[in-house]
Amino acid sequence: MESSEESGAPLRERLVDVGVELVLAEGTGALGLREIARRAGVSHGAPRRYFPTHRSLLSAIARRGFEDLAARFVLALAPVSRPREQVRALGLAYTGYALERRGMFELMFRHDLLDGTGREPSSAGPRLRESTRPLFELLTALVSRCGAAEPEVTAAALWANLHGVAQLWAWGSLPLALEDGPGAVGVERLVGAALDAHLPEGPR
């Protein structure tokens, strides 16, 4: 165990890597400090050198998720130009990420486990808020370009709608509710319905 700690490998990143692997495979319940240290091959006290609190380590793991989501947003926006099409592309990227990486998606929004307030120690890395706020600002800007009267409020309501679609679909609630409905109702149609509910009529 000590040999892993004394190696030249960047322990801080290794701990985060292990946390990402754990949350994707086993969910947020597996992210104990001791378990992360054990799987990283270090003593249970080693993470404290880089992460003063458990919350700061979980925040660093969640930050990886937001970085991944931001990269997916860039890819989703590349082929489209109209604001409404861009909002739809973000909605599909968001729900797609939620269904593909369920453990990470859950952690990213568990602010009872994370420090999203900007109070986490700077030694633990960039503030989590610096990774999350730009994504909401991007959605707000696109919603504004769609002509919404209160872009930030509308963006927040749309985000809540999309998040609910993702969670309820992942839990099986929406597929169960819609199984007897007309036609094949999937996540893509629900994203479209969310846009129709929140954005003003206009060019698509």
Side-chain angles (χ1 to χ4, degrees):
M1 185 173 289
E2 294 302 320
S3 60
S4 295
E5 291 185 41
E6 294 170 359
S7 72
L11 177 55
R12 184 188 186 284
E13 293 306 306
R14 175 60 183 152
L15 291 166
V16 177
D17 289 343
V18 168
V20 170
E21 293 166 6
L22 258 177
V23 76
L24 290 176
E26 301 180 32
T28 57
L31 291 174
L33 200 60
R34 286 177 177 267
E35 181 61 13
I36 292 174
R38 186 186 71 79
R39 296 205 184 194
V42 298
S43 66
H44 64 81
R48 299 292 186 188
R49 302 177 191 174
Y50 304 93
F51 303 99
T53 66
H54 188 202
R55 286 165 67 95
S56 64
L57 175 53
L58 296 186
S59 296
I61 295 166
R63 192 177 300 111
R64 288 277 190 88
F66 282 108
E67 291 168 356
D68 187 10
L69 183 60
R72 293 181 185 220
F73 278 4
V74 170
L75 290 176
L77 290 177
V80 293
S81 56
R82 291 182 178 178
R84 193 182 182 96
E85 292 175 342
Q86 291 179 319
V87 175
R88 182 176 182 276
L90 288 192
L92 292 174
Y94 186 83
T95 52
Y97 183 87
L99 297 176
E100 180 186 336
R101 301 174 78 83
R102 290 179 58 180
M104 178 63 82
F105 184 78
E106 178 187 356
L107 176 66
M108 288 160 62
F109 301 99
R110 285 290 304 274
H111 287 284
D112 56 327
L113 301 178
L114 307 175
D115 187 342
T117 64
R119 290 195 296 266
E120 64 184 72
S122 58
S123 60
R127 309 291 186 185
L128 183 61
R129 184 177 174 81
E130 293 172 7
S131 298
T132 62
R133 183 67 190 178
L135 301 185
F136 180 65
E137 290 173 348
L138 171 61
L139 178 60
T140 300
L142 292 177
V143 165
S144 177
R145 291 179 60 199
C146 290
E150 295 182 284
E152 191 167 62
V153 173
T154 301
L158 176 57
W159 173 28
N161 196 161
L162 294 172
H163 195 90
V165 166
Q167 285 284 37
L168 291 173
W169 193 272
W171 291 338
S173 301
L174 279 175
L176 183 63
L178 295 170
E179 66 178 359
D180 295 325
V185 178
V187 172
E188 187 169 348
R189 282 185 64 187
L190 293 172
V191 169
L195 266 64
D196 291 341
H198 295 287
L199 298 182
E201 290 293 332
R204 294 171 182 265

